[in-house]
Amino acid sequence: MDYDEKRERLAERLRYELNLSKKVYEAIKKVPRHLFVPERYKEEAYVDTPLPIGYGQTISAPHMVAIMCELLDLKEGDKVLEVGTGCGYHAAVVAEIVGKKRKVISIEYIPELAERARTILKALGYENVEVIVGDGSKGYEKEAPYDKIYVTAAAPDIPKPLVDQLKPGGKMVIPIGNSVQWLVIVEKDEEGNVKKRNWGSVRFVPLRGEYGFKSVRYD
Ligand code: SAM
């Protein structure tokens, strides 16, 4: 079976298991995950599992990417901030959903990962994903406010700058916790009131930076 067939099978399975919307299903079916992972993991790219991408980091499992996209209720034209670019795969899936005319801003802490993600995204034509090196735990004020924000590393608590950078009516999805982690959905209503709810338990690498965990080792 070639990569396209494997990807189609994975997308079909996720659609069935997670009752995916058409737009999320189409995006998962389209983005070539095998081109984002290191060469030695290519054959496993369409197994529904996280994989190492270097620097102690991982590409999230496809089902988690799909779930986060669904929870954010992404729409064409949404302005999105991703905290934690990793290899760029999740950002590419989001870029497929929000459309080519909208910029997806993605911040990565580790410069080497950011550079690698930029190269892959550019080669695949995702000109609308802008990868920035920096501490995304503080958000990215320059492009704020955002319709949607998602964080791909677990934070000790919800960083205030991220809530501040969310538009009224906006939504954020963020894993919170250390040994036990919860995926938290944060919604800001038109008056600026903020509501939080737990989606369920998850497993992510720790967030670094000012609003992240202080003693994280990266080997
Ligand atoms: N979405 C990614 C993908 O598709 O490959 C997976 C991201 S990985 C699970 C989490 C990423 O968050 C890592 O690359 C890590 O370096 C990054 N990270 C951790 N703390 C960060 C911070 N304060 N600002 C930006 N990125 C951060």
Side-chain angles (χ1 to χ4, degrees):
M1 209 189 305
D2 66 18
Y3 291 123
D4 291 348
E5 285 172 294
K6 285 186 187 173
R7 186 166 62 254
E8 198 166 334
R9 275 202 179 189
L10 172 68
E12 287 296 343
R13 215 187 82 206
L14 293 178
R15 173 154 80 163
Y16 176 75
E17 286 173 0
L18 304 172
N19 194 19
L20 293 185
S21 60
K22 189 165 183 290
K23 58 192 169 189
V24 174
Y25 160 72
E26 297 283 0
I28 297 280
K29 198 166 82 168
K30 185 156 179 207
V31 180
R33 192 172 186 253
H34 67 284
L35 298 179
F36 287 86
V37 299
E39 187 65 32
R40 65 183 178 284
Y41 294 113
K42 258 185 157 176
E43 292 307 316
E44 288 153 72
Y46 298 109
V47 179
D48 187 16
T49 182
L51 292 168
I53 55 170
Y55 307 91
Q57 304 305 313
T58 52
I59 176 175
S60 305
H63 74 270
M64 193 38 66
V65 172
I67 286 169
M68 289 174 83
C69 289
E70 293 290 3
L71 292 175
L72 281 172
D73 190 21
L74 291 170
K75 293 188 177 64
E76 197 171 343
D78 272 350
K79 184 168 189 182
V80 182
L81 173 69
E82 174 185 65
V83 177
T85 315
C87 65
Y89 169 75
H90 197 155
V93 171
V94 170
E96 286 291 342
I97 300 169
V98 300
K100 297 261 176 203
K101 282 186 235 135
R102 237 339 175 183
K103 214 162 46 163
V104 176
I105 312 288
S106 182
I107 309 198
E108 173 53 50
Y109 204 78
I110 300 173
E112 292 84 352
L113 284 178
E115 193 45 47
R116 192 172 165 269
R118 263 190 211 121
T119 306
I120 299 169
L121 288 162
K122 187 159 186 263
L124 293 173
Y126 291 103
E127 308 285 349
N128 58 329
V129 181
E130 187 179 343
V131 178
I132 291 148
V133 176
D135 176 9
S137 78
K138 297 187 283 189
Y140 190 62
E141 184 66 49
K142 199 172 151 205
E143 290 275 358
Y146 304 95
D147 296 295
K148 310 283 162 67
I149 298 177
Y150 66 99
V151 182
T152 68
D157 210 337
I158 299 169
K160 185 175 181 300
L162 294 184
V163 179
D164 293 344
Q165 289 172 28
L166 206 53
K167 277 186 194 171
K171 221 172 180 188
M172 169 161 67
V173 175
I174 177 169
I176 300 291
N178 193 351
S179 47
V180 179
Q181 300 175 358
W182 301 93
L183 194 60
V184 175
I185 303 159
V186 180
E187 284 173 283
K188 194 187 255 188
D189 69 17
E190 296 299 336
E191 283 73 47
N193 304 309
V194 173
K195 259 196 326 206
K196 300 169 210 173
R197 64 191 158 94
N198 269 347
W199 175 80
S201 106
V202 286
R203 190 81 207 128
F204 280 84
V205 295
L207 186 73
R208 297 176 82 180
E210 194 170 328
Y211 293 83
F213 288 98
K214 297 294 171 241
S215 55
V216 180
R217 270 190 58 205
Y218 285 83
D219 298 320

